[in-house]
Amino acid sequence: MSERLINLHTKQISDYLIHFWPLKVTEDAIFWVLDRWQLAEKKTRIVDNSDLRCINRQINTIPTGKQRIYRQALEGILFYLADIAHWQVPEFVKHTISDTNLKYFEELAKGTAHAQLIFSRYQQQKTYFFDTRGTLTPSFMALMIGFEVAPLSLAHISAILNNPNSIIDKEDNPRLAITHMGYGADELRATHYYLSIESYRFLENYYAQSPPRISSKCLYADLSSWLEENGLPACIRKQIWPKRFQIHWYLRFQLPPVFIKDLANPERHVGLSNTITASKIKEADIYAIDWDTKWFDSLAKSQKKIRWPHEILLKHSESLETIETPPWDANNILPRLLFDYTKQLLVVVNKIWPQF
């Protein structure tokens, strides 16, 4: 694997682990493991015990102090491969992943009270905006997106605020399109999110203000100032914000934790934009009869009388063994089926009521 690809995968894995892995892993440690573990050469998405022995053997050759760092990076990579890239991993790794997901959700739950305070203050500010119709700020828009659209990271939210073309198909089915790099693919992809009428109008009005571009770092600073102005506890890192949004979605909508992770991470889904073309059929032509209603008049009536073989059975039910079974007709199996069915019924009847 080239160094460029290793750097690309390292960045993708690191970005994912920052939001969904409870332990801290550095990009240098992830790069070290990927550089010595040739996963890209595998033809199948399967990590078996021999693969783990190979990389663990290399980790064992380094000083003991760094072994823990690289083993933790290895666990993070395995978590990424199984959780987002859908690789098959050994059973004991699956148990570790389940424990990690549990720890992650426990970490989310710790911010429940804080998330509720933030949402309550956001609701008050939204009501105030409806009364005054003031200027929409980046911090308010970030809260609106995180609480109303999806529990996204500040990096994704800042990208939305910087791109007036994020809303697509405005007239027929307005939705939010987030462009991102696909996991395991060096190409841009898009994920679509539902927009309520209220969220749609907020975004449209914000874009109409022609706001300056804002980075995720500046957005975090704005949100920190907003918390301070409203007398709320601070979020010590920008990665805390999507966690507050996620626990809110869990409490408000009673969504399963796995589904919340899907919502929070656009890279887990890909939506292809299908252009909707207007129908060429006129409204008056929808129910118009465009076929010949007397097509059957041209069919000649058959003069040949069909003789069903099972009728002979009914006439000679006392001597069924003497009646020859008709052959199967590949073009019409119904006569033979009726014959067999009738014969079977008559056999049963003759056993029960032999006098008949």
Side-chain angles (χ1 to χ4, degrees), residues 3-211:
E3 185 174 347
R4 186 185 69 84
L5 280 177
I6 295 177
N7 280 319
L8 175 63
H9 293 318
T10 298
K11 185 68 169 60
Q12 290 177 339
I13 294 173
S14 177
D15 289 345
Y16 185 76
L17 296 181
I18 284 174
H19 296 292
F20 301 105
W21 179 255
L23 304 177
K24 187 175 181 180
V25 181
T26 64
E27 288 191 12
D28 290 340
I30 296 173
F31 183 92
W32 188 94
V33 175
L34 291 179
D35 189 36
R36 290 159 178 78
W37 199 20
Q38 301 300 324
L39 289 178
E41 297 177 0
K42 294 183 68 67
K43 296 181 179 179
T44 58
R45 293 191 169 197
I46 300 175
V47 175
D48 52 30
N49 290 323
S50 62
D51 296 319
L52 295 178
R53 283 195 296 270
C54 177
I55 186 61
N56 281 320
R57 195 179 301 118
Q58 297 195 52
I59 294 177
N60 291 334
T61 61
I62 63 174
T64 307
K66 290 188 176 181
Q67 286 186 15
R68 183 180 63 84
I69 297 174
Y70 294 137
R71 291 192 193 283
Q72 196 162 289
L74 175 60
E75 290 180 5
I77 293 171
L78 290 171
F79 174 78
Y80 169 87
L81 292 175
D83 197 52
I84 187 68
H86 306 297
W87 281 51
Q88 294 183 30
V89 295
E91 197 64 32
F92 74 91
V93 177
K94 293 181 181 179
H95 293 312
T96 303
I97 292 173
S98 298
D99 293 341
T100 300
N101 285 327
L102 180 60
K103 291 178 182 177
Y104 176 78
F105 186 73
E106 288 177 347
E107 189 68 25
L108 289 185
K110 293 178 181 178
T112 299
H114 192 204
Q116 290 177 330
L117 289 173
I118 296 173
F119 179 71
S120 176
R121 189 66 188 93
Y122 156 73
Q123 289 286 75
Q124 295 173 14
Q125 189 168 348
K126 184 168 69 171
T127 302
Y128 178 77
F129 170 81
F130 287 143
D131 292 337
T132 62
R133 299 293 174 173
T135 302
L136 293 169
T137 63
S139 58
F140 175 82
M141 293 302 298
L143 295 171
M144 187 279 295
I145 293 172
F147 286 130
E148 307 286 353
V149 180
L152 301 170
S153 68
L154 296 189
H156 284 122
I157 293 176
S158 62
I160 294 169
L161 298 180
N162 292 333
N163 183 13
N165 297 320
S166 293
I167 304 176
I168 63 173
D169 203 7
K170 297 181 180 181
E171 295 183 1
D172 298 316
N173 182 26
R175 57 194 185 276
L176 188 66
I178 299 179
T179 304
H180 56 81
M181 298 298 295
Y183 281 124
D186 190 9
E187 59 182 5
L188 285 176
R189 295 180 178 177
T191 298
H192 298 166
Y193 285 87
Y194 167 77
L195 280 178
S196 65
I197 295 177
E198 183 180 274
S199 302
Y200 167 70
R201 292 308 311 169
F202 271 130
L203 282 169
E204 282 285 86
N205 292 343
Y206 179 77
Y207 293 142
Q209 298 174 177
S210 300

Side-chain angles (χ1 to χ4, degrees), residues 320-334:
L320 299 177
E321 294 79 7
T322 61
I323 301 174
E324 184 180 357
T325 301
W328 285 101
D329 185 354
N331 296 320
N332 187 8
I333 64 172
L334 186 58

Side-chain angles (χ1 to χ4, degrees), residues 257-315:
V258 173
F259 186 45
I260 293 175
K261 286 180 68 176
D262 288 343
L263 284 173
N265 189 12
E267 287 80 359
R268 291 173 71 98
H269 299 279
V270 176
L272 301 178
S273 178
N274 297 321
T275 303
I276 301 175
T277 57
S279 175
K280 297 180 180 179
I281 301 177
K282 297 180 180 179
E283 186 175 353
D285 296 335
I286 293 178
Y287 300 104
I289 298 176
D290 57 357
W291 65 89
D292 183 7
T293 57
K294 296 183 179 181
W295 61 271
F296 48 84
D297 290 348
S298 61
L299 299 178
K301 294 184 178 180
S302 175
Q303 300 297 326
K304 184 179 178 181
K305 185 177 180 180
I306 300 176
R307 295 188 178 277
W308 295 91
H310 72 280
E311 293 177 350
I312 303 176
L313 293 173
L314 296 174
K315 292 179 180 179

